[in-house]
Amino acid sequence: MISLSWYLIFAAALFCIGLFGVLSRKNAIAILMGIELMLNAVNVNLVAFWRYVNPGQITGQVFAIIVFAVAASEVAVGLALFISIYRRRGTIAADEIDLMKW
Amino acid sequence: MSVEMIIFLIIAVATLGSALMVVTTKNLVHMALWLIVVLLGIAIFFAMLSAGFLAVAQVVIYIGAIAILLIFAIMLTQRTTQEAGSSFNSNWRWGILVSLILFAGLFIILVNWSGISTTPPNLDSRASVADIGVALVEPNAFLLPFEFASVLLLAALIGAIYVAWDRRKV
Amino acid sequence: MTNPLLSISLWFSNLLTGWGLPSGLVAVILGIAGVLITCVFVLVLAVFLVWVERKVVARFQDRLGPNRIGPFGLIQPFADIIKLLIKEDITPNGADRVVYNLAPILALAAVLLIWAVIPFAPSVLGADVNIAVLYVVAVGSIGTLSIIMAGWASNNKYALLGAFRTVAQMISYEVPMVIALLIPVILAGSMGMSEIVNDQKIWFVLIIPVAAFIFLVTSIAEIGRSPFDLIEAESEIVAGFHIEYTGMKFGLFYAGELLHALTIGALFATLFLGGWKGPGVTLPYIGPFLGVFYLLLKSFLIYFVIMWIKYSLPRIRIDHMLAFNWKFLTPLALVLLIVVAILHKLMVTLEFSYILYIVIMFFANIVTFFMALNLVKNYASNTRKNLGKPPEVVVIQTNPKIDQPSPVTSNS
């Protein structure tokens, strides 16, 4: 049988890959995708704990649904900001947008 | 090696491989497509964990909305010529180091924790969608986070439209 | 035997375990066999659909349609398929090979996946999940993804523009479709298709007709058929996102679109027309076959209605289409959902009789729809009134008899 640690190690690996994506990519949308990977890893973690520890209590799934909502709104606002920045600066590479005010 | 373990290993390897492709590909649209493979893998994991509603909600929300939004944004913000140079910034070695240290730490903790159970407890009934629905609107349960999430989504909707509004055209 | 599938699968699994295979592997093999049988059945239907489409459009346009190849032109689809198969398989220069070739496969696969949850007979069902309605929405969104892949991978500006518009239309029309799908879920108390079919003592289309209307209209827009086919019209955008596809890849898109229309028919039949219900489905031996027959009959009826709409109405412009969705269908669907939910809870708690329940629900639907139509009518007539007021023009006319210029105001 699959023990809980398998799911948790998978989630940890996905989280670390997402973290690497956030820390080392230039393009802002690539950073946002790394954040999405991290949020999905957290979701797998939550649902695995719900299933293996106390499936009678629906808290784990509700938490995961709220994380869905937060991730969706974050992506929407983030991409709106990127499009706005692209219109102004012509680039969304994270190391070229380094002036607070010009 | 039961069938479940084989399926778990195949899907886990495929998902982690696609996640590695997400963080290393140079072509942005390919990156979005690999992300969609990762999201599908996560949906399969949710289905394996008997969270059927979450599996389907994952496909609808992430693949049906977020991934398409990402692809639209990529196409709207790409320069006509491909970006020259590497897709990594100058700190990528530190990024690998931090990720590996974090993974090693988590791995050691998870393997040695005694609270890890091997068999999941039995699920009694199949009516878990109704349970989620009741939990989301019951005042003693999760009504307040539900309402906050609604307000958050409304704020994100209005904010995104306002930020991305093209003032030159209007 | 009322359960032919179970008997066949038991016999097959006994056979396989008799050969010495482990039980997990037997389950996987049975699953794959079930998938193959469903896919083959549905794809054979798709081939037949090509013939149906061409004959019906011909009759609508007062001509005969294909009648040379085979009796009544029945071999025509095979001629079409052979023609598509022997065409040259092109990948355009600069196109993204993998994505370009994957898009039509994904488009057809997304349609086939929906057939897994449609109940054919009381016990003949691919996968009896209790979230089947949401599963249908999820799979529809995978189909949307394949279109944007096709449009981007073609390395063609028209294709990309067409793909953008298509995806905008599809994700906009998903919103009222999901809301309209929730209404039979409220009535049946579950999202599972077999529960919804079992709950229809009286067909839901007679109880909640406006929800059925919204579902039909939004589904036609989802599959991109006329009158919502601006995205692939040849005179508008040069065939849109599948402009660079030839041969069998185009065949996959085309068959996928026709099959999607039949799938919408099957979904509508399951959710609103009672699915496999009909006289005689509980008889022991012929029951399941009668169930399949009734479901296909109802699906083809709705498919005929979809074709009827396609060949009678002109195309709608993209901004009208989106305005129709966001300003009419979505508020109507939301208001209808609230009205149905409140009435359902009230009537179930107060234990009204079933006839009274049906009558009140039906009238609530009609009243909501007519109020919405009145709002739209008032808005349209106000717009027209303000549009029809011409500006006042002063014209100076010289009359030769009186020999004096006289200003005349004219409201032409």
Side-chain angles (χ1 to χ4, degrees), chain A residues 46-74:
Chain A
L46 284 169
V47 178
F49 269 115
W50 164 78
R51 177 73 178 94
Y52 277 77
V53 174
N54 194 356
Q57 203 183 0
I58 204 75
T59 311
Q61 288 203 28
V62 173
F63 204 151
I65 292 177
I66 306 286
V67 172
F68 278 161
V70 169
S73 49
E74 161 202 336

Side-chain angles (χ1 to χ4, degrees), chain B residues 30 36 52-53 56 75 126, chain C residues 96 128 130-131 134 145 152 164:
Chain B
H30 282 178
I36 288 171
F53 178 74
V56 184
M75 291 182 193
R126 282 181 64 199
Chain C
D96 201 341
D128 194 11
N130 60 346
I131 32 155
L134 204 56
L145 192 70
W152 177 78
F164 275 170

Side-chain angles (χ1 to χ4, degrees), chain B residues 12-72:
Chain B
V13 166
T15 309
L16 288 175
S18 310
L20 276 171
M21 293 301 295
V22 169
V23 297
T24 52
T25 313
K26 205 169 151 177
N27 186 340
L28 282 176
V29 180
H30 282 178
M31 196 165 58
L33 295 175
W34 284 118
L35 184 70
I36 288 171
V37 176
V38 172
L39 296 171
L40 265 177
I42 303 278
I44 297 177
F45 273 128
F46 284 155
M48 277 174 66
L49 285 167
S50 317
F53 178 74
L54 276 182
V56 184
Q58 161 96 3
V59 177
V60 174
I61 296 174
Y62 269 105
I63 299 180
I66 293 182
I68 292 184
L69 186 60
L70 276 169
I71 294 180
F72 266 74

Side-chain angles (χ1 to χ4, degrees), chain C residues 287-362:
Chain C
F289 297 101
L290 270 183
V292 176
F293 172 68
Y294 287 138
L295 179 70
L296 286 179
L297 188 69
K298 294 173 193 173
S299 322
F300 272 100
L301 180 69
I302 301 297
Y303 183 65
F304 179 74
V305 169
I306 293 179
M307 275 197 289
W308 193 358
I309 297 177
K310 170 170 179 159
Y311 294 116
S312 317
L313 293 177
R315 203 168 280 147
I316 300 184
R317 221 171 64 191
I318 183 101
D319 55 336
H320 290 164
M321 210 190 309
L322 292 175
F324 176 64
N325 174 51
W326 291 113
K327 296 185 190 169
F328 179 66
L329 280 181
T330 308
L332 175 64
L334 281 170
V335 167
L336 194 68
L337 179 70
I338 296 175
V339 164
V340 167
I342 293 179
L343 281 180
H344 176 82
K345 202 64 186 172
L346 266 180
M347 290 198 276
V348 162
T349 321
L350 297 176
E351 287 183 22
F352 280 22
S353 76
Y354 199 51
I355 304 286
L356 199 56
Y357 175 86
I358 294 173
V359 167
I360 292 183
M361 199 64 93
F362 184 76

Side-chain angles (χ1 to χ4, degrees), chain B residues 45-106:
Chain B
F45 273 128
F46 284 155
M48 277 174 66
L49 285 167
S50 317
F53 178 74
L54 276 182
V56 184
Q58 161 96 3
V59 177
V60 174
I61 296 174
Y62 269 105
I63 299 180
I66 293 182
I68 292 184
L69 186 60
L70 276 169
I71 294 180
F72 266 74
I74 289 170
M75 291 182 193
L76 286 174
T77 57
Q78 237 178 4
R79 293 190 245 187
T80 43
T81 55
Q82 283 294 342
E83 300 195 14
S86 146
S87 55
F88 296 115
N89 63 20
S90 49
N91 292 330
W92 63 276
R93 292 183 188 88
W94 287 105
I96 294 186
L97 189 67
V98 168
S99 308
L100 282 177
I101 292 178
L102 182 64
F103 181 61
L106 285 171

